[in-house]
Amino acid sequence: MTHIFQVLYQVHPLLPLVYLAVLGNGLLGPAIYCAVRGIPYDITQIWSLAKRGQTGARYVVTSWAAFAVLTVLVLTFGAVR
């Protein structure tokens, strides 16, 4: 995590805060959704709900994808730089 924040801070001092927001959304959003719906924190169940069109489950999958894509982009940018 230190490497990710150092790379982001070198580009702009506020980018680590943006990353933390995406991280929080990717971790807390799905947990809150599962708690509210009363379902276990199970990616296969959430994935099947998202494929059936559940809006909340689609949001969960999107937040996971955004977190994964952003992390890969930052690590790639850090490796290239």
Side-chain angles (χ1 to χ4, degrees):
M1 285 303 268
T2 303
H3 175 71
I4 291 173
F5 288 116
Q6 286 176 348
V7 168
L8 290 171
Y9 191 81
Q10 288 173 356
V11 174
H12 192 278
L14 292 179
L15 283 180
L17 292 175
V18 172
Y19 184 79
L20 280 175
V22 173
L23 171 71
N25 187 42
L27 296 177
L28 290 177
I32 292 169
Y33 170 74
C34 290
V36 168
R37 295 268 303 168
I39 61 174
Y41 198 112
D42 179 20
I43 191 168
T44 56
Q45 188 174 3
I46 294 170
W47 184 256
S48 64
L49 287 172
K51 287 195 319 191
R52 282 190 263 145
Q54 283 282 340
T55 305
R58 286 181 147 183
Y59 171 77
V60 167
V61 171
T62 304
S63 66
W64 279 332
F67 175 58
V69 167
L70 183 61
T71 301
V72 168
L73 285 175
V74 170
L75 291 175
T76 304
F77 182 73
V80 171
R81 197 163 186 213

